[in-house]
Amino acid sequence: MPDHDTDTLAVAGLHHVTATAGDPQRNLDFYARLLGLHLVKQTVNFDDTGVYHLYLGDAAGSPGTIYTSFPFPDARRGQVGPGQASTLHFGLPDIAARVQALRDQGCTLHPVTRFGRQAWALEDPDGQPLELTEGPGGLAGATLWLDDPTPTAALLTEVFGYVEIGREADGKGERRRLTRPGTGPGREIDLYHQPDSPRARSGAGTVHHIAFRARDRAHQDALAGAMRARGLQPSERKDRSYFESIYTREPGGVLFEIATDAPGFATDEPPEALGRQLQLPPQHAPRRAEIAAKLPPLDLPRPA
Ligand code: ZN
């Protein structure tokens, strides 16, 4: 069964999430060595070539499995709060062994039950909240922290094709879970609301944006039109080398991206060598030596 519906506005789920991080090696080591994700692309922030843009996911770099980071070595820590994707969800194979390995490395994990399912809550080395469950390996979803979840829920259910499957209170706040019915990764979105929330501040340990999957440009255009009809202001299409993207703030303040599945991560290096070498887009390629010399060297995880 294909990931995408073919004749509706509905998205297939998340395409990727992008976080702000601190030290690049520490960020890579945590997600690759401890969570077991595969580094599928090393490039730079196209708007600031002094900073890496690292992409990790399943071995093929499948849309929906992808976590990306902008690791600033001297980043100031942010604060998670309303108007952000506050927690990232990962589904990892052999979760019990993974949890034990994380504890052996000194990570503190708390068991939590979400909608009848066991999960483990922890923070990455920059303080980014994460929740882990058993899964195929890669991104499973995200929690959006919102002052008012209702307009965001309406956008997700009426345009993006999500379905609410339940609500839970945890003593501090309320969580509703939405999923995109069907197969494929990255299909879970929780909307979390808590009275007297701390104020969010961007920085290391916070999510910059989350991206949803578009089948192609026509689907992306149709989603842009539907968002405009609801008073949102999607950006022009931007070429991100591995996908094409539009961006908008959703009603709760979270930055949403709509990214096409194509062309994918094998567009500039062979599928069996994803992530092994720094890749630069055409506008920056002529300055390769200069750009590479300013980036901190990375000790890469060994290919599986
Ligand atoms: Zn993005």
Side-chain angles (χ1 to χ4, degrees):
M1 188 162 110
D3 285 359
H4 287 289
D5 296 339
T6 50
D7 56 356
T8 75
L9 270 182
V11 302
L14 290 174
H15 181 284
H16 66 271
V17 296
T18 294
T20 305
D23 183 73
Q25 187 70 57
R26 191 178 61 179
N27 175 252
L28 177 61
D29 284 346
F30 181 84
Y31 286 92
R33 293 192 166 98
L34 288 179
L35 294 196
L37 306 188
H38 298 261
L39 179 66
V40 294
K41 193 65 63 185
Q42 330 171 28
T43 183
V44 293
N45 182 335
F46 292 178
D47 303 315
D48 176 2
T49 60
V51 179
Y52 279 113
H53 193 181
L54 303 178
Y55 291 76
L56 298 98
D58 71 2
S62 308
T65 67
I66 305 292
Y67 161 89
T68 97
S69 66
F70 293 126
F72 296 83
D74 302 316
R76 193 181 66 145
R77 272 217 182 179
Q79 167 68 50
V80 172
Q84 288 178 335
S86 53
T87 302
L88 300 178
H89 308 184
F90 291 93
L92 305 178
D94 202 2
I95 188 69
R98 187 67 63 184
V99 165
Q100 189 55 52
L102 284 157
R103 286 187 168 139
D104 291 346
Q105 293 294 316
C107 297
T108 303
L109 292 93
H110 302 284
V112 291
T113 304
R114 299 272 185 244
F115 303 95
R117 203 160 168 232
Q118 175 78 68
W120 283 267
L122 73 160
E123 292 183 353
D124 83 0
D126 293 306
Q128 170 66 57
L130 307 175
E131 287 187 10
L132 311 181
T133 51
E134 182 77 27
L139 189 68
T143 299
L144 313 186
W145 192 337
L146 301 163
D147 279 330
D148 177 8
T150 302
T152 303
L155 176 66
L156 289 170
T157 56
E158 293 165 18
V159 177
F160 286 46
Y162 281 79
V163 175
E164 182 175 324
I165 61 160
R167 298 186 186 197
E168 278 182 356
D170 66 3
K172 282 200 277 187
E174 189 190 58
R175 171 184 307 274
R176 40 179 113 169
R177 174 155 293 181
L178 281 59
T179 65
R180 261 300 290 142
T183 57
R187 287 181 174 256
E188 185 174 284
I189 297 279
D190 286 1
L191 306 182
Y192 182 72
H193 169 71
Q194 150 185 331
D196 304 319
S197 296
R199 256 186 69 174
R201 193 181 68 233
S202 59
T206 66
V207 175
H208 185 265
H209 64 266
I210 64 171
F212 296 88
R213 290 174 66 184
R215 294 183 294 275
D216 50 29
R217 283 182 172 183
H219 184 201
Q220 190 178 53
D221 287 342
L223 285 163
M227 291 193 291
R228 256 183 235 110
R230 300 174 79 93
L232 301 176
Q233 296 179 303
S235 71
E236 293 301 296
R237 183 181 285 120
K238 296 183 197 295
D239 181 358
R240 295 310 189 197
S241 285
Y242 312 108
F243 38 86
E244 293 185 301
S245 295
I246 61 171
Y247 300 84
T248 190
R249 292 269 166 206
E250 57 82 37
V254 181
L255 184 57
F256 277 10
E257 173 180 350
I258 311 289
T260 54
D261 276 6
F265 294 103
T267 189
D268 58 359
E269 58 190 344
E272 66 278 7
L274 291 179
R276 305 313 297 169
Q277 289 192 326
L278 179 69
Q279 301 296 334
L280 296 173
Q283 68 268 33
H284 297 315
R287 293 173 48 232
R288 183 180 179 88
E290 177 201 338
I291 289 169
K294 286 184 182 157
L295 292 167
L298 280 181
D299 177 21
L300 297 187
R302 284 185 300 281

